[in-house]
Amino acid sequence: MPEVSLSSIENRNTPGGAAVSRRGLLAGAGAAAVTVLGTEAAATRDAAAAAPEAAEFGPVTVRPGDLRYDNLLRGNNFRFAGRPDEIRVAGSADQVVRAVSDAVRSGRRVAVRSGGHCFENLTADPAVKMLLDLSPMNAVGYDAGRRAFAVQPGATLGQVYRALLTGWGVTIPAGSCPEVGAGGHFSGGGYGALSRRYGSVVDHLYGVEVVVVDRDGTVRTVVATREPDDPHRDLWWAHTGGGGGNFGVVTRYWLRSPGATGTDPSRLLPAAPARMVQRAVFWSWEHLTEQSLTGLLRNFGTWHERNSAPGSPYAGLYGILQPSHRAGGTVMLIAQIDADLPNADGMVTEFVSAVTAGLDLTPTLDIQRTMPWLHRMTWPGSGEPGDVLVRRYKIKAGYLRRSFTETQLAAIYRHLTNSTGGPDAGMLLVGYGGQVGAVAPEATAIAQRDVVLKAVYQTIWADEQDDAANLAWVRDFYRDVYADTGGVPVPGAVSDGSYINYADADLADPAWNTSGVPAHRLYYKDNYPRLQQVKARWDPRNVFRHALSVEPPG
């Protein structure tokens, strides 16, 4: 996820009096010799081999009436909380096998959760009777036997970044919210501030370990890699953007960049930046007109159209434009770049100038900081005491191959200035493209490889009594922006469907999707039939399913 943690500017007010929001949801097992990072970095393979292994966690079974049940029940979005018969907390692949075997044998629906940041009720569906919690499976280390970094699904992105940097000085181009779990983020094709430079996370995915269910109900663990002669390669491919909860339970990922050679771990993934430049510019809605707001959006899109080809000198620059609803008070522009790239400061200046060109705008706050990269990526951008009260949200999204049309820009302005939006409602445009576009659409399950932006429409609120009003606002907003294509971002000259990690059940609802284009086409385009074939082979009983899951063929 592309969340922006504004560690250096949270808790401050703009000179114009508009408070900077602190609640922007998106702003703010393997082979031999696995070197695992715990409280200290294991410096060598031999040191790791000599160290005692940690005791295996679990399994733990929690049922209603147990004081732990409600504590473990909810994910990040408080709109959703199922009532499963049990929550099974697993600490190893073997424990996952036993849990899934129990669910299959008893005929109970099972859902899998790692970090719990699902935007919809895919794991909280009332039909789910066993919630499989993988959060204790959070090891990150180097697997010398596979020459790849092993990451368990319960590891958060913050843990992954810290472990990879501390042990080997490397990183992956994943999201900026440190509390998101690797499990769902990776399998859905995660991206973040380094993706324009290094591609999607799954472009560095070497292999997966997956617990699957055979046609006869046998539950087993399978390892699948990207090796051309791997008989299980199709299962690896399905996890390069096919989304979680579709084919089995991932219990381990292995990461190594394509073309990386040798046995030196520090050369097998991209080098982590030492420092990150971040510039944040804020404008008060008090001084914005339709011309200036749509001008910012248009310029932001145009810059990305011109500077998002693979190999672009600007591929290292990551930008986010976040206009809140007028009730929120501000519009924010963020630019981030590796501070040690040539002319990093100059590129940031050029970017801000391009986005504001031709507009008579005076910022209420304009600050730039250079900070250690790890601090930037692991700062807890949410979690303040008040945030626990604001955990209800609805997110919708769409890919953009080019800037919004003039009709769409007018719709955006209407909904950001109407009387029904709240202070924590708004949208984001998130920079994409660059090295992402160097990979063919069929090479991974991510079909959208020539897009330049991701658009996110969001509303966040505190009380259940406000559900209907907030849902109506964001749904109407989205439908109006895509009015010419049936209320959804149908692939075409401007739009290119949506991103499965920003799950939106409305896309499968004919009340909100009147385009005649099914949700699976919006998410996977021409890759969907191949995903269905993987589903038929590896989950023939359709054990793993949810409201947006890949359906068996036929």
Side-chain angles (χ1 to χ4, degrees):
M1 295 170 61
E3 295 86 346
V4 176
S5 300
L6 297 176
S7 57
S8 60
I9 55 181
E10 284 181 341
N11 301 317
R12 297 180 60 174
N13 289 337
T14 65
V20 177
S21 173
R22 300 160 61 197
R23 297 179 294 191
L25 187 66
L26 290 175
V34 178
T35 303
V36 178
L37 287 185
T39 55
E40 297 181 2
T44 67
R45 171 181 171 181
D46 293 338
E53 293 187 4
E56 185 177 276
F57 179 93
V60 171
T61 300
V62 178
R63 297 186 174 89
D66 189 312
L67 66 87
R68 297 169 292 182
Y69 185 80
D70 285 342
N71 285 279
L72 298 176
L73 188 62
R74 290 181 186 269
N76 182 262
N77 192 345
F78 279 22
R79 285 177 58 210
F80 307 115
R83 297 297 297 180
D85 295 342
E86 65 179 72
I87 302 171
R88 190 77 65 93
V89 188
S92 70
D94 287 343
Q95 292 176 23
V96 172
V97 168
R98 293 197 294 271
V100 174
S101 296
D102 289 347
V104 171
R105 186 167 47 250
S106 61
R108 289 178 295 166
R109 177 93 164 262
V110 61
V112 187
R113 183 176 72 190
S114 54
H117 285 72
C118 185
F119 291 171
E120 289 287 0
N121 70 332
L122 306 189
T123 62
D125 190 308
V128 171
K129 301 304 178 185
M130 178 190 289
L131 177 61
L132 185 53
D133 186 328
L134 307 184
S135 57
M137 298 177 62
N138 60 4
V140 181
Y142 178 65
D143 183 337
R146 297 191 187 277
R147 291 194 309 111
F149 293 91
V151 177
Q152 290 186 314
T156 64
L157 297 184
Q159 290 172 321
V160 174
Y161 293 137
R162 184 173 295 278
L164 293 180
L165 177 72
T166 302
W168 303 276
V170 298
T171 193
I172 53 174
S176 302
C177 181
E179 294 304 314
V180 166
H185 184 75
F186 287 10
S187 62
Y191 78 104
L194 294 177
S195 287
R196 284 171 50 82
R197 187 176 178 187
Y198 295 125
S200 167
V201 172
V202 297
D203 297 338
H204 304 267
L205 182 65
Y206 174 75
V208 288
E209 177 185 73
V210 189
V211 173
V212 298
V213 182
D214 294 337
R215 189 172 299 279
D216 64 1
T218 300
V219 181
R220 60 192 175 103
T221 302
V222 175
V223 172
T225 72
R226 68 178 179 224
E227 296 293 346
D229 60 350
D230 188 334
H232 305 150
R233 192 177 189 274
D234 62 336
L235 187 61
W236 162 83
W237 180 86
H239 287 90
T240 61
N246 277 315
F247 312 100
V249 183
V250 178
T251 52
R252 194 175 306 269
Y253 295 95
W254 285 277
L255 298 157
R256 186 204 322 144
S257 296
T261 60
T263 59
D264 181 353
S266 68
R267 296 181 179 274
L268 300 180
L269 282 176
R275 303 174 300 149
M276 181 74 78
V277 173
Q278 179 164 297
R279 183 172 174 184
V281 185
F282 293 84
W283 297 277
S284 171
W285 260 108
E286 180 183 355
H287 304 119
L288 288 171
T289 64
E290 181 172 3
Q291 180 182 9
S292 56
L293 188 278
T294 57
L296 286 172
L297 292 164
R298 185 185 302 107
N299 288 349
F300 189 85
T302 299
W303 186 92
H304 282 86
E305 287 180 38
R306 296 172 177 172
N307 297 284
S308 296
S312 165
Y314 292 92
L317 191 147
Y318 177 66
I320 295 178
L321 181 62
Q322 183 179 6
S324 73
H325 187 274
R326 185 189 292 275
T330 60
V331 172
M332 174 178 70
L333 176 67
I334 295 290
Q336 298 174 17
I337 193 170
D338 181 339
D340 294 313
L341 284 177
N343 192 34
D345 287 341
M347 283 193 282
V348 169
T349 299
E350 292 171 17
F351 171 71
V352 173
S353 296
V355 174
T356 57
L359 306 175
D360 184 18
L361 287 174
T362 301
T364 54
L365 181 65
D366 185 347
I367 59 174
Q368 182 167 314
R369 299 285 186 269
T370 300
M371 65 187 74
W373 178 82
L374 185 63
H375 176 85
R376 164 65 192 83
M377 298 304 291
T378 58
W379 182 271
S382 62
E384 300 93 337
D387 275 0
V388 74
L389 304 176
V390 188
R391 283 281 188 87
R392 307 178 77 83
Y393 55 84
K394 174 68 176 179
I395 307 293
K396 302 174 77 67
Y399 283 111
L400 284 166
R401 303 177 73 186
R402 56 174 294 272
S403 303
F404 286 116
T405 67
E406 294 303 306
T407 299
Q408 289 177 313
L409 290 173
I412 290 170
Y413 183 79
R414 281 197 304 274
H415 287 272
L416 291 180
T417 56
N418 64 17
S419 61
T420 55
D424 289 305
M427 71 176 300
L428 299 91
L429 285 180
V430 186
Y432 200 51
Q435 194 62 23
V436 171
V439 178
E442 68 277 5
T444 67
I446 302 173
Q448 294 89 347
R449 288 290 183 168
D450 66 349
V451 298
V452 300
L453 291 170
K454 299 194 184 193
V456 179
Y457 310 79
Q458 66 179 27
T459 182
I460 313 165
W461 65 99
D463 298 320
E464 185 175 1
Q465 66 186 21
D466 296 325
D467 283 6
N470 280 275
L471 290 172
W473 180 83
V474 73
R475 284 168 167 163
D476 289 343
F477 182 11
Y478 190 78
R479 182 169 58 185
D480 202 7
V481 170
Y482 301 108
D484 290 343
T485 53
V488 297
V490 173
V494 176
S495 296
D496 204 21
S498 193
Y499 173 46
I500 191 60
N501 275 358
Y502 295 162
D504 179 8
D506 292 349
L507 297 188
D509 185 344
W512 296 104
N513 178 0
T514 61
S515 69
V517 179
H520 61 73
R521 171 72 180 171
L522 299 174
Y523 284 124
Y524 303 117
K525 299 178 66 179
D526 292 342
N527 285 338
Y528 188 66
R530 185 175 175 186
L531 288 168
Q532 288 186 291
Q533 293 301 318
V534 178
K535 178 76 169 180
R537 179 184 179 190
W538 293 104
D539 186 22
R541 298 166 63 107
N542 200 22
V543 171
F544 303 100
R545 60 192 189 275
H546 51 71
L548 292 170
S549 59
V550 174
E551 297 291 333

